[in-house]
Amino acid sequence: MCGIIGYVGEKKNALKVLITGLKALEYRGYDSSGIAYFKNQKIEVAKEKGKIEKLEKILNLSTSSNIGIAHTRWATCGIPDKINAHPHSSGKITIVHNGIIENYEQLKKELEKEGYHFISQTDSETIAVLLDKYYKESQDILKSIIKTKKRLTGSYALAILCEDIPSKIFAIRKDNPLIIAKSNDASFIASDIPAILNYTNQYYILDENEIAILSKDKIDFKNDTLETINKKVLTFNGDKNSSTKGDFSHYMLKEIFEEKDVIKRIVKDYNDIDQLIQNLSFLKKYKKFDIVACGSAYHIGVIAKYLIEEHISIPVNVEVASEYRYKNNFLDNESLAIFISQSGETADTLACVRKVKEKNIDTLGIINVEESSIAREVDYAIYTKAGPEIAVATTKAFLAQLIIIVLITLYLGYEKKYFTKEFLNERLNELSNMDSDIDTILNSSYEKMAKIIAKHQNVFFLGRNIDYGIALEASLKLKEISYIHSEAYPAGELKHGTISLIEKNTPVISILTKNSTFDKTINNIKEVKTRGAYSIIISTKKIADTEEIILIPEKNELLLPILAIIPLQLLAYHVASIRGCDIDKPRNLAKSVTVE
Ligand code: F6R
């Protein structure tokens, strides 16, 4: 949800650094972008509607400047156009903002009465105007920032320039991520680590109620009463190149091909029973789970519910975070609330963590981005170790979450004596030896099926039990990147209304990894085929009378979802590619949804 980058350094190459940083953050939003930088002691602003390359074209990147801030937008308040693009300026103040100011209309009215004039439809411009007002009154930027913060309701990550102070960038945040980083000769602000990795792997996390003051040679942190704070510097140990596309045509494809490595990375920490006990024994005292997440991470919750209830007999309630945050829950001191999030910053999921914590309920985060807000606020965190995921549509992070859920099921099953030690060891062994199976899936051809699906406007995914969870994710993957409408249904449910949409050749993709429901789903497939559907099946066994079959290797049922989702991710990718879609940056989307 919007990307922010700021640079102040020895070298006078601010525009180049900022544009490169924006490109690394483009996955966060790409409706418009803009930049503000000092040139001859004056703030210059440039903005463009559309992708960052359009902004790049209107800039002279060799302009001499050693300080600036920049923004790539995912529009919330105000249409995506040049006027609403950030930065926003008022008087001597220029800002870029990620988040949403909920009381902006009230503030705007108040400021208009005082004679201030607004040119955009955004909530963000209100921040610039408020800062300008308080700065005019006090001529003190830090006091103005503190006063402005007190007036804002909502969420924000803010980078601020003041024309009277051409050597410094100021930053604050609330409920939106912002990191502050230092290299030998420069300081940086960024929404996410990939934007600074070309220069340094040392960074700080700005906490709420802190102000960062960045100069080229130092960074000061102050609290709300302007006392200096000493902060711990963190080191990013991941692979710098993981945020580049390499030889792949898209990040999404690269990330699907990385799934093998992700499995290996996770399994290294859960190699045997002792490691499982060491890492997961905190789970054994709980008698029920609530799982809360959004989008694909919610689908992991659905899969987890099927797995845990069936194998461990622990009740699991799974809910979408945007609903959970406004309804009653029935947790008690025997419950664990589990939050699944790749980014660890999703606003609704984060709000649910806070809501549950208020009731003193224990919380677990299954998180990819270590040091993210959710990771820092939960009682227990399990990291999914998928590495930076750049494509907006999640693939490898989803797979990593799935593996963690399988490992939790295995551990609890063993702990509660549903699974023997031998069973557990066999599964761990299977999990560590999936390379050649995954290679087979990666190297299969999906083009023919993709070409057929690409011609349709409606596609259905069917599955029962855990296969329904996989169907939900496969359907989301297809629709978000190819813009084909698709729906996932529990296989037996379609005939209660939706089957009326099946026409001659409507693609229906059915997932059959579950033995106990296999025959029932086959019957449901017959029902749609009778009505003309073009049937594609994902299964471990050959099935007569279906147009297409994607065969996945035979494995224990617990592990099959891992193998079933990969061809479906690839299929969605190829359909989107045939339709010429912008696969890594689908329209209207952004990664890391930090607004409600
Ligand atoms: C879909 C996708 C989204 C995210 C959702 C939650 O491909 O990526 O549905 O899963 O926005 O995001 P996180 O996991 O960051 O909380």
Side-chain angles (χ1 to χ4, degrees):
M1 282 292 113
C2 301
I4 290 178
I5 173 89
Y7 163 85
V8 47
E10 197 70 55
K11 299 197 188 105
K12 299 195 184 303
N13 57 350
L15 277 74
K16 268 191 200 135
V17 175
L18 292 173
I19 289 294
T20 313
L22 276 188
K23 285 183 181 166
L25 295 171
E26 200 170 15
Y27 68 89
R28 301 180 68 87
Y30 30 83
D31 293 332
S32 58
S33 58
I35 183 168
Y37 54 96
F38 273 97
K39 190 177 159 200
N40 304 328
Q41 312 286 309
K42 290 261 167 257
I43 296 176
E44 303 271 334
V45 172
K47 324 186 198 190
E48 267 303 319
K49 183 180 170 190
K51 302 242 165 82
I52 291 158
E53 57 214 32
K54 286 183 75 186
L55 175 70
E56 191 175 5
K57 278 199 187 122
I58 62 160
L59 292 171
N60 174 3
L61 291 189
S62 46
T63 304
S64 172
S65 172
N66 77 325
I67 171 166
I69 57 179
H71 186 270
T72 178
R73 181 169 187 243
W74 186 84
T76 47
C77 197
I79 57 163
D81 67 5
K82 191 168 165 176
I83 292 177
N84 290 330
H86 297 217
H88 292 285
S89 304
S90 180
K92 297 197 166 171
I93 305 293
T94 295
I95 61 130
V96 291
H97 169 221
N98 172 23
I100 188 133
I101 303 304
E102 287 161 9
N103 60 337
Y104 86 98
E105 279 173 332
Q106 179 197 327
L107 291 169
K108 199 166 167 178
K109 270 190 204 134
E110 177 190 314
L111 291 160
E112 274 170 342
K113 270 193 201 140
E114 291 180 33
Y116 285 95
H117 176 64
F118 289 79
I119 52 171
S120 78
Q121 303 161 322
T122 64
D123 53 335
S124 312
E125 193 182 2
T126 324
I127 311 173
V129 176
L130 255 189
L131 274 166
D132 175 29
K133 166 184 150 81
Y134 294 135
Y135 185 68
K136 278 194 183 112
E137 286 167 11
S138 66
Q139 294 297 303
D140 183 324
I141 188 67
L142 291 179
K143 284 190 184 146
S144 310
I145 290 172
I146 291 166
K147 252 180 143 172
T148 301
K149 269 178 73 175
K150 288 191 181 138
R151 302 292 317 278
L152 302 176
T153 308
S155 64
Y156 47 82
L158 273 180
I160 303 161
L161 294 178
C162 174
E163 204 153 50
D164 288 341
I165 313 168
S167 58
K168 287 185 172 46
I169 303 173
F170 303 88
I172 52 171
R173 77 164 193 112
K174 179 174 174 279
D175 294 346
N176 263 292
L178 204 57
I179 60 152
I180 313 290
K182 187 83 198 74
S183 69
N184 287 339
D185 60 359
S187 304
F188 304 83
I189 299 175
S191 298
D192 198 0
I193 291 171
I196 51 116
L197 283 182
N198 279 339
Y199 315 99
T200 176
N201 64 353
Q202 305 280 298
Y203 68 102
Y204 303 90
I205 294 197
L206 188 65
D207 279 314
E208 298 184 2
N209 302 320
E210 291 179 350
I211 305 174
I213 305 153
L214 289 86
S215 317
K216 64 180 186 218
D217 44 13
K218 67 172 180 154
I219 301 167
D220 291 318
F221 295 98
K222 304 260 184 207
N223 65 15
D224 274 355
T225 48
L226 295 182
E227 288 153 336
T228 298
I229 306 166
N230 288 320
K231 284 183 72 74
K232 193 173 136 221
V233 66
L234 304 167
T235 305
F236 177 79
N237 290 319
D239 176 10
K240 180 174 142 192
N241 295 324
S242 53
S243 348
T244 58
K245 214 159 38 183
D247 291 336
F248 287 90
S249 45
H250 295 94
Y251 280 107
M252 181 176 173
L253 193 60
K254 176 186 174 234
E255 287 162 3
I256 295 173
F257 272 76
E258 280 170 3
E259 292 181 328
K260 251 179 7 185
D261 299 334
V262 172
I263 299 178
K264 279 208 199 89
R265 245 185 340 259
I266 300 175
V267 171
K268 217 168 110 221
D269 289 346
Y270 299 86
N271 221 349
D272 54 28
I273 293 176
D274 291 343
Q275 279 192 326
L276 278 184
I277 294 173
Q278 193 186 330
N279 292 322
L280 301 176
S281 61
F282 71 92
L283 289 167
K284 69 179 176 206
K285 61 176 186 269
Y286 299 105
K287 301 233 162 57
K288 55 183 178 185
F289 297 137
D290 267 15
I291 301 185
V292 182
C294 301
S296 295
Y298 165 77
H299 301 154
I300 292 290
V302 174
I303 294 172
K305 179 178 168 71
Y306 282 115
L307 278 181
I308 294 171
E309 288 186 343
E310 175 169 337
H311 295 286
I312 330 286
S313 287
I314 291 179
V316 179
N317 171 42
V318 51
E319 304 238 17
V320 164
S322 53
E323 289 297 314
Y324 192 82
R325 74 185 279 189
Y326 296 114
K327 66 193 278 286
N328 208 354
N329 59 52
F330 300 94
L331 302 167
D332 55 34
N333 58 8
E334 296 192 316
S335 314
L336 179 69
I338 303 177
F339 301 90
I340 307 176
S341 175
Q342 186 283 127
S343 62
E345 299 292 349
T346 301
D348 284 316
T349 313
L350 179 59
C352 293
V353 173
R354 290 177 181 166
K355 174 178 162 157
V356 162
K357 286 194 72 151
E358 269 172 22
K359 284 177 113 187
N360 282 329
I361 302 297
D362 289 353
T363 52
L364 161 67
I366 299 177
I367 308 293
N368 195 38
V369 180
E370 300 182 18
E371 301 297 339
S372 60
S373 300
I374 298 177
R376 290 188 303 145
E377 293 192 25
V378 285
D379 300 304
Y380 304 100
I382 297 179
Y383 297 116
T384 48
K385 296 182 185 292
E389 192 178 58
I390 308 296
V392 165
T394 183
T395 52
K396 63 172 180 170
F398 176 87
L399 194 95
Q401 292 163 348
L402 183 57
I403 289 163
I404 296 294
I405 290 301
V406 169
L407 289 167
I408 287 177
T409 309
L410 286 173
Y411 163 71
L412 286 174
Y414 171 71
E415 186 61 51
K416 293 183 187 298
K417 312 223 174 327
Y418 292 106
F419 300 150
T420 62
K421 191 172 176 177
E422 289 66 42
F423 178 86
L424 191 78
N425 278 332
E426 280 167 20
R427 298 299 74 77
L428 291 177
N429 198 28
E430 266 182 306
L431 200 51
S432 321
N433 291 298
M434 277 190 163
D435 267 21
S436 65
D437 296 328
I438 296 180
D439 280 339
T440 311
I441 293 171
L442 292 175
N443 296 325
S444 299
S445 169
Y446 302 91
E447 295 281 322
K448 182 179 157 228
M449 277 173 261
K451 271 188 191 145
I452 294 170
I453 295 170
K455 288 192 207 126
H456 287 267
Q457 265 321 314
N458 287 299
V459 174
F460 291 88
F461 287 83
L462 301 184
R464 282 174 184 254
N465 197 286
I466 191 165
D467 291 334
Y468 169 57
I470 303 167
L472 282 171
E473 176 58 10
S475 169
L476 177 62
K477 220 64 326 159
L478 181 72
K479 71 184 128 196
E480 69 183 327
I481 62 168
S482 74
Y483 315 144
I484 293 174
H485 168 252
S486 85
E487 283 190 61
Y489 261 80
E493 182 63 15
L494 202 69
K495 58 180 156 304
H496 295 285
T498 311
I499 202 164
S500 66
L501 292 173
I502 303 289
E503 298 174 337
K504 189 164 165 34
N505 294 331
T506 304
V508 177
I509 303 173
S510 309
I511 298 127
L512 286 126
T513 71
K514 183 95 190 126
N515 267 328
S516 59
T517 54
F518 189 91
D519 292 340
K520 301 287 169 198
T521 308
I522 290 284
N523 288 341
N524 301 132
I525 296 169
K526 285 183 186 149
E527 289 161 7
V528 292
K529 275 185 64 67
T530 310
R531 285 151 184 92
Y534 170 81
S535 163
I536 299 174
I537 290 179
I538 317 277
S539 172
T540 55
K541 16 183 187 254
K542 292 207 167 121
I543 293 159
D545 196 26
T546 189
E547 280 75 18
E548 298 287 348
I549 180 141
I550 300 175
L551 279 176
I552 53 168
E554 191 69 69
K555 282 270 164 300
N556 181 277
E557 221 174 78
L558 266 173
L559 305 180
L560 282 178
I562 299 168
L563 295 179
I565 194 61
I566 304 173
L568 291 163
Q569 293 170 340
L570 284 165
L571 189 61
Y573 173 84
H574 287 295
V575 174
S577 165
I578 289 164
R579 286 168 66 98
C581 299
D582 193 348
I583 294 177
D584 286 335
K585 299 187 200 89
R587 70 179 174 218
N588 304 339
L589 293 180
K591 209 165 180 76
S592 188
V593 183
T594 54
V595 292
E596 199 179 330

